[in-house]
Amino acid sequence: MTTQTTAPETPSAPAAAQSGLIGLPHRLGRALATGGGALTIISTFLSWTWTADFPGDLTVYGYPGGLQVLVLIGAVFTTLFGLASYGIKGLGWLTPGSADSALKLAALGTFATAWYTVIAISVELGGVVNLEPGGYLVAVATLAALLGALALPFERPAPDLADPDDTGLERFRHNSRQNWNTFKAAFASTTPAPARQLPAYAEILVIVAAMAAGLLVFTYGIGTEYDELFIGFLLTAGFCFAALGKSGIVARVSAITARHRTVTMAGAFVAAAAFPFTQSDDQYATIGVYILIFATVALGLNIVVGLAGLLDLGYVAFLGVGAYTSALVSGSPSSPLHVNWPFWASALLGAAVAMVFGVLIGAPTLRLRGDYLAIVTLGFGEIFRITVLNMDGTSGPDVTNGSNGISSIPNLNILGFDFGKDHTFLGATIGRFANYFLLMLLITLIVVVVFRRSSDSRIGRAWIAIREDETAALAMGINGFRVKLIAFALGASLAGLAGSVQAHVTYTVTPEQYQFAHVVPPNSAFLLAAVVLGGMGTIAGPLVGAALLYLIPAKLQFLGNYQLFAFGVALVLLMRFRPEGLIPNRRRQLEFHEETEAPAVLTKAGA
């Protein structure tokens, strides 16, 4: 009688996925994460400290305030994702992707914000003795929720069969790759399951809700009253957005907005136009108008870098050309021209002169590629700054007043509407910067339309072909020089248009405003970072990237000499974990994530 032996069965993926990063059973971990989130919600209604010396007044029972509100938001997300991971009926819409991955990120964000607050209270007030019961409870509850979330299962990658001829070094590399893939799988999201398409009116309501939520988050972030609250806002907003992305909600909303692009654009415009009416004074509207100027110029640069693939390090010079041109003809007493053109004429002139400079600079340089083109454009930016610095009547002709610049630029007056005065509209009073915010918003809309129409056109497809492989594009009959020159000229004209408004907003234009790496954006370095970090080749990417890159340095001034260090660390981390940008197009996302399944139809360049 012979005994028949069989090879042990390979465990299936669900069977293999019995534990997470820590050794707790996954059922206990899920209960711990959900219960910790619920206890965190309760803790936000308790007092966290006994004195109101800590900003935000965390001494009140029954009413969350300051950083407690942010912890409450994170705890609500943690609890909801935890309940959804149980498969509770009615919560399936919340996690069309991966409930466990979303729960991990929500718990981590809540833990980070809560412990940051507890540590800040202890440091600023002189020890943990200044914590009230709510402070101790939130520390324990968020830690429990995080440990429970880390115990949730994830699918481990199937191991490759070992090669008997492998050397020890090869086995070490193999095991290292397996361990890294296992770690990444802990926070990996699954592809959202296809959902039943909603009626058109319901999808429009979803778009409206998304725009309202975006306006609320932006208004809250820009209006944070003290430093600790802004740090907590960054932690909560970043992790919650990542959790929503892992859950699949962001992908669902993106698919809906792609089907209603015109409605989405109109909704975004209306939501942005409502921002000045949420402000009681010009303090934050000032930041808003500068963000729009920065974002508009970044979107123009996105044509050059994102669509055509041309690395331009001197793009801020075109903004300066438009600003100086408009300042010279707008009636400034320090202008040697002594003319006062209407705004529409000065804006068109600024865009036209910037376009001419774009052609003059691009014609002899666009035959270069890569690093050589970047060096030449960087040189052009410095040449522009030095030229306007020397045109002071001493070193050169008296045109720009040298380092003093052109000052006392008058406020705009369009059809009798004085942008320098307060106006009442629908019972709300809007000030000077709110007026310019609405004007700049209109110009941003024009730039968005130009970008969208250009990217969807034949010339836009030629830009993308040049960006992907210039040699192949030339072999297919595309006139590379002409196509790149059009991109350079169009991007320069859009920057000049934004510069025309900037001159009136700032009252004064000076050479130091247009350096490569000026302390305050916009400058060439920050503009390029906004395009890359936001998402090259998209519309929303540079707008979001510019908003973050302007808002974060403005709010991190309390760090003093460590401001740029903290900012640089944040950029490095973002590029490490999301190299395709915050809002990437599908082509670029596939380049950086080979494990992502290719869609049946790739979205357009401007999606």
Side-chain angles (χ1 to χ4, degrees):
M1 180 178 179
T2 58
T3 304
Q4 188 176 12
T5 60
T6 58
E9 295 183 1
T10 302
S12 60
Q18 296 298 323
S19 62
L21 292 179
I22 60 178
L24 292 176
H26 65 86
R27 292 183 178 85
L28 176 61
R30 183 170 285 109
L32 192 61
T34 307
L39 285 177
T40 303
I41 294 176
I42 296 174
S43 70
T44 59
F45 291 89
L46 303 176
S47 173
W48 287 11
T49 183
W50 63 274
T51 174
D53 291 342
F54 187 82
D57 194 5
L58 309 183
T59 65
V60 181
Y61 282 86
Y63 186 81
L67 286 162
Q68 288 176 322
V69 175
L70 299 174
V71 175
L72 174 61
I73 294 173
V76 169
F77 276 111
T78 302
T79 306
L80 289 177
F81 288 137
L83 294 175
S85 66
Y86 280 103
I88 296 177
K89 187 176 181 180
L91 291 178
W93 61 270
L94 190 61
T95 54
S98 172
D100 289 347
S101 297
L103 178 55
K104 291 181 181 73
L105 288 169
L108 179 59
T110 308
F111 170 81
T113 307
W115 276 70
Y116 165 75
T117 306
V118 169
I119 293 174
I121 292 174
S122 303
V123 171
E124 293 188 18
L125 300 183
V128 295
V129 295
N130 294 282
L131 295 174
E132 287 288 288
Y136 293 107
L137 178 60
V138 74
V140 174
T142 54
L143 179 59
L146 178 62
L147 293 177
L150 294 179
L152 294 180
F154 57 89
E155 290 194 10
R156 303 176 187 272
D160 297 333
L161 296 178
D163 186 352
D165 296 330
D166 278 349
T167 62
L169 179 60
E170 290 298 324
R171 287 195 299 272
F172 173 77
R173 291 175 177 173
H174 171 79
N175 293 333
S176 299
R177 286 194 299 268
Q178 291 293 339
N179 293 334
W180 173 242
N181 290 334
T182 299
F183 177 78
K184 289 197 300 181
F187 291 92
S189 65
T190 59
T191 303
R196 179 174 57 86
Q197 186 169 336
L198 298 174
Y201 73 88
E203 292 187 338
I204 292 176
L205 290 178
V206 170
I207 294 174
V208 172
M211 296 304 166
L215 175 62
L216 179 62
V217 171
F218 178 76
T219 303
Y220 187 91
I222 203 173
T224 48
E225 300 175 352
Y226 48 93
D227 304 331
E228 294 85 353
L229 185 60
F230 182 72
I231 296 295
F233 166 77
L234 288 181
L235 293 173
T236 302
F239 280 105
C240 286
F241 181 79
L244 290 174
K246 294 295 184 182
S247 71
I249 291 181
V250 174
R252 286 263 175 98
V253 174
S254 299
I256 292 174
T257 56
R259 289 195 291 268
H260 303 276
R261 297 177 68 186
T262 303
V263 175
T264 302
M265 185 181 298
F269 178 79
V270 171
F275 168 73
F277 298 97
T278 64
Q279 307 300 312
S280 57
D281 54 42
D282 267 1
Q283 178 181 1
Y284 300 120
T286 304
I287 299 178
V289 68
Y290 284 119
I291 287 177
L292 276 183
I293 294 174
F294 189 14
T296 303
V297 181
L299 193 58
L301 178 61
N302 197 25
I303 294 178
V304 180
V305 177
L307 294 183
L310 306 174
L311 185 55
D312 188 349
L313 298 182
Y315 189 76
V316 74
F318 298 122
L319 176 70
V321 170
Y324 267 97
T325 302
S326 181
L328 287 170
V329 299
S330 295
S332 170
S334 59
S335 171
L337 300 184
H338 303 294
V339 295
N340 188 2
W341 289 16
F343 171 70
W344 65 267
S346 63
L348 291 178
L349 182 63
V353 173
M355 182 178 66
V356 170
F357 271 86
V359 173
L360 292 177
I361 299 302
T365 61
L366 286 180
R367 300 188 186 277
L368 301 174
R369 297 187 187 182
D371 298 339
Y372 300 100
L373 177 62
I375 293 172
V376 171
T377 55
L378 176 62
F380 164 67
E382 287 301 298
I383 289 172
F384 167 78
R385 183 183 63 84
I386 295 173
T387 299
V388 295
L389 183 64
N390 289 327
M391 298 177 71
D392 56 357
T394 302
S395 303
D398 186 11
V399 178
T400 63
N401 295 327
S403 60
N404 294 324
I406 301 176
S407 59
S408 301
I409 302 172
N411 284 301
L412 291 176
N413 191 307
I414 302 176
L415 300 177
F417 186 89
D418 190 346
F419 282 74
K421 296 181 179 180
D422 294 347
H423 298 275
T424 302
F425 182 76
L426 297 178
T429 301
I430 56 176
R432 176 180 182 270
F433 284 100
N435 296 330
Y436 281 107
F437 179 89
L438 296 175
L439 175 63
M440 198 62 222
L441 182 62
L442 180 61
I443 294 178
T444 303
L445 178 63
I446 295 173
V447 175
V448 167
V449 172
V450 171
F451 181 91
R452 177 181 172 183
R453 300 296 295 177
S454 299
S455 62
D456 293 343
S457 66
R458 180 178 179 181
I459 191 70
R461 293 192 294 271
W463 287 336
I464 295 173
I466 291 289
R467 181 193 69 191
E468 297 299 327
D469 193 329
E470 184 173 353
T471 303
L474 295 177
M476 295 300 294
I478 295 177
N479 188 333
F481 175 75
R482 182 177 67 87
V483 167
K484 291 191 291 184
L485 189 60
I486 292 174
F488 221 70
L490 181 58
S493 63
L494 295 179
L497 183 62
S500 300
V501 180
Q502 185 204 30
H504 294 274
V505 172
T506 58
Y507 286 127
T508 303
V509 290
T510 55
E512 62 267 15
Q513 295 176 354
Y514 308 105
Q515 299 179 22
F516 170 75
H518 191 244
V519 177
V520 179
N523 55 62
S524 293
F526 272 65
L527 287 170
L528 185 61
V531 173
V532 175
L533 297 179
M536 294 172 58
T538 65
I539 293 176
L543 300 179
V544 173
L548 290 177
L549 290 184
Y550 191 94
L551 183 61
I552 292 177
K555 291 288 187 176
L556 292 182
Q557 293 181 0
F558 69 94
L559 292 177
N561 295 332
Y562 296 97
Q563 175 185 354
L564 290 180
F565 172 77
F567 186 64
V569 170
L571 296 184
V572 170
L573 292 176
L574 184 60
M575 284 290 93
R576 170 60 185 84
F577 293 102
R578 198 167 178 84
E580 70 273 21
L582 294 174
I583 308 178
N585 61 14
R586 297 299 296 274
R587 290 183 180 89
R588 189 165 180 82
Q589 193 170 22
L590 290 174
E591 291 175 4
F592 286 97
H593 300 281
E594 296 178 357
E595 70 276 6
T596 304
E597 183 180 355
V601 180
L602 292 176
T603 57
K604 295 180 180 179

